[in-house]
Amino acid sequence: MRNGSVKAFALSAMCLCLLAGCGQEDRGQTASIYAMDTVMDLTAYGEGAGEAVDAAVAEIDRLDKLLSAQGEGRDVDGQDIRRVNASTSATVSQETAALLRETLALCQETGGALDVTIYPAMEAWGFYSGEYRVPSPEELSQLEALVNYQAVEVADDSIVTHGDQVKLDLGAVGKGYAADQVARLWKDMGVTSGLLNLGGNVCCVGPKPDGSDWTVGIRDPEDENGVLCQLSGRDMAVVTSGAYQRNFERDGVRYHHILDPRTCAPARSGLASVTIVASSGFLADGLSTAVYVMGLDSAAEFWRQRQDFDMILYTDDHQLYLTSGLAGRVTPAEGLEPQVLDG
Amino acid sequence: MDRRLFTARELLCLAVLALVLVAWAVWPKSSGAAVVVQRGGGEIGRYPLDVPARVEVSGANGFSLTVVVQDGAVHVENSTCPDLICQRHAPISRSDQAIICLPGQVSISVEGGERRGPDAYAG
């Protein structure tokens, strides 16, 4: 090849390399799994991302077994909540005992709007089996007597339930707790950037790989392809509860899965969607359910007393509210004017 | 001695290459996007988004879904699941959208498509 041709070839190759390079970005390592009764996407970026994702999958699998109230077969080895639900007392791992202790405290702090003993009511409505039904008023009043978190005691590593029909369901906090555990694991492994989406239960680990904030869209309960608003931030858990997530229709009435522990029936609080933003996934998860049950006024009062989280509320009559800690971080959808709740 | 960096022939060669690159950049391409169907977290099917298709998907717990790809989007035409949330879901065509059937443990997403939404969706 003549010198000139070499020059031309070299220049062309450089152009191609530059063009190819322009399209490169760190797409991260991703796993999509089915666990805790939902679809989960786990993405880690940077060096060691592959190992981090594998470790996260293993950790979620472990927690799914440990904390699930559902399961098949008689083998309940490593399944603490199933073991507790099979009798009135059981020895459990220190981890389960600590988590349940923390969850019971949250049940108390929310005045019972969150109740870890909701299992019999969820079962009666068919939300576990998918064989949906509407319990009679008599059945609901019987269920009310069974749903009472105060009937559960945790002493060291043993859990006692008072009454053989009192059963636990950690579904309202399990995914949030799992997100916290994975985020901690990733930080220990040196992952500085990652995104967990555990069935719409989002946890942003660090900033994005380019150093900017993550953006999280809050789903519009009336348009599955639309959002109410976008929220930006890092190192945060964002959990949304809404009636649209799991529901069924009977005789023209739609019944959803967020049950009010006081009535054991689907909560009708005037809220269509509740999003909690907090540094703890556990707190965000548990409070999203509790705040949904509380309704706007009680939720606003509850937030003013605590202020260790932020929230975005969307009412049945299409009003958007957000707490002052989120001001400047939320971009509402066109046509929505959020009202800011002050402390 | 001729001290020009490129001869006329070399310049012609470069011009042709530049033209090819520009054409490659602006030429309308097939989207390359694929519909990915997963059951229980494992991939069970992958179909081009720009090729019409009708696929019967066997979900968990005995539920089945009819997934239809048409007009560059995918939707669930029919499902035997009890809540029918997947069937009511509007068609999706972007990589930041997904249709999920929880009773059947099936998720339908688009890979390699346009992405213009946020990094994740809560809810």
Side-chain angles (χ1 to χ4, degrees):
Chain A
M1 200 182 274
R2 289 192 305 126
N3 277 350
S5 300
V6 171
K7 282 186 290 187
F9 177 77
L11 273 171
S12 310
M14 276 168 59
C15 288
L16 279 171
C17 288
L18 277 171
L19 270 173
C22 287
Q24 292 297 310
E25 58 173 323
D26 183 358
R27 297 176 72 90
Q29 294 290 319
T30 298
S32 189
I33 60 170
Y34 190 89
M36 297 187 170
D37 208 19
T38 194
V39 177
M40 302 182 168
D41 293 308
L42 324 168
T43 308
Y45 296 84
E47 215 173 302
E51 292 79 18
V53 168
D54 290 346
V57 171
E59 176 67 356
I60 288 172
D61 186 49
R62 181 186 73 83
L63 291 173
D64 193 10
K65 287 192 178 72
L66 189 72
L67 305 176
S68 178
Q70 309 295 304
E72 288 170 6
R74 292 189 175 183
D75 180 15
V76 289
D77 193 33
Q79 300 183 52
D80 280 356
I81 299 303
R82 282 189 72 200
R83 268 216 328 282
V84 174
N85 285 348
S87 67
T88 52
S89 72
T91 302
V92 297
S93 64
Q94 290 285 343
E95 182 180 13
T96 303
L99 176 62
L100 188 59
R101 213 174 279 123
E102 212 175 329
T103 307
L104 288 170
L106 198 58
C107 293
Q108 188 173 26
E109 289 160 23
T110 59
L114 174 71
D115 197 311
V116 73
T117 59
I118 198 73
Y119 185 105
M122 291 290 283
E123 190 177 41
W125 283 88
F127 284 113
Y128 295 139
S129 63
E131 291 164 11
Y132 300 130
R133 58 187 283 276
V134 181
S136 67
E138 294 74 32
E139 191 178 351
L140 287 177
S141 60
Q142 285 167 8
L143 286 166
E144 284 170 33
L146 298 177
V147 175
N148 176 16
Y149 69 92
Q150 289 168 326
V152 182
E153 278 180 49
V154 186
D156 295 328
D157 58 354
S158 70
I159 294 173
V160 178
T161 56
H162 298 284
D164 58 4
Q165 292 186 77
V166 174
K167 294 191 191 311
L168 305 179
D169 179 348
L170 285 172
V173 294
K175 290 195 287 288
Y177 176 74
D180 288 341
Q181 295 303 103
V182 171
R184 193 167 300 136
L185 184 71
W186 279 4
K187 291 208 163 168
D188 289 347
M189 293 177 80
V191 173
T192 52
S193 182
L195 189 63
L196 302 166
N197 192 341
L198 312 188
N201 193 320
V202 176
C203 178
C204 305
V205 180
K208 286 171 74 165
D210 65 4
S212 62
D213 282 344
W214 299 97
T215 55
V216 180
I218 310 302
R219 281 199 191 284
D220 183 340
E222 290 167 3
D223 173 9
E224 59 271 288
N225 282 340
V227 293
L228 295 173
C229 59
Q230 281 193 32
L231 164 73
S232 62
R234 58 184 68 189
D235 285 316
M236 62 175 180
V238 184
V239 182
T240 300
S241 285
Y244 59 94
Q245 291 162 331
R246 192 169 284 195
N247 55 59
F248 67 97
E249 193 180 305
R250 281 289 180 283
D251 302 324
V253 180
R254 193 154 282 285
Y255 298 95
H256 63 79
H257 72 299
I258 307 174
L259 302 184
D260 184 335
R262 292 161 295 196
T263 61
C264 294
R268 310 271 184 212
S269 66
L271 293 175
S273 161
V274 166
T275 299
I276 304 292
V277 185
S279 56
S280 154
F282 164 82
L283 186 69
D285 203 4
L287 287 187
S288 70
T289 306
V291 165
Y292 188 96
V293 169
M294 286 178 194
L296 175 64
D297 294 338
S298 300
E301 188 53 38
F302 181 72
W303 171 76
R304 286 189 185 102
Q305 285 167 10
R306 293 181 63 116
Q307 302 205 22
D308 58 347
F309 65 97
D310 275 296
M311 58 185 187
I312 300 168
L313 309 177
Y314 188 62
T315 62
D316 287 339
D317 55 359
H318 309 115
Q319 299 298 307
L320 186 67
Y321 294 85
L322 54 94
T323 51
S324 51
L326 296 177
R329 291 169 56 195
V330 170
T331 309
E334 207 177 312
L336 278 177
E337 277 291 329
Q339 299 175 53
V340 178
L341 300 170
D342 287 312
Chain B
M1 185 182 168
D2 188 355
R3 298 184 68 84
R4 283 180 303 173
L5 187 58
F6 295 109
T7 64
R9 198 168 159 183
E10 287 165 352
L11 280 172
L12 185 68
C13 177
L14 276 174
V16 168
L17 266 169
L19 204 66
V20 168
L21 283 172
V22 169
W24 174 79
V26 301
W27 201 261
K29 305 177 187 71
S30 161
S31 72
V35 174
V36 178
V37 180
Q38 294 185 312
R39 183 182 57 219
E43 185 175 321
I44 56 169
R46 180 178 284 262
Y47 313 92
L49 186 64
D50 51 4
V51 178
R54 176 182 298 268
V55 184
E56 295 300 324
V57 175
S58 297
N61 304 312
F63 300 124
S64 62
L65 296 80
T66 306
V67 175
V68 172
V69 183
Q70 67 182 31
D71 303 327
V74 57
H75 70 279
V76 175
E77 188 178 81
N78 190 44
S79 171
T80 61
C81 75
D83 55 18
L84 300 177
I85 288 175
C86 56
Q87 193 181 302
R88 288 199 302 272
H89 201 294
I92 62 167
S93 58
R94 304 199 316 258
S95 285
D96 54 347
Q97 299 172 312
I99 300 173
I100 291 167
C101 175
L102 284 180
Q105 300 179 11
V106 172
S107 77
I108 300 154
S109 57
V110 175
E111 210 174 271
E114 184 196 358
R115 184 177 186 103
R116 61 166 182 254
D119 299 309
Y121 289 94

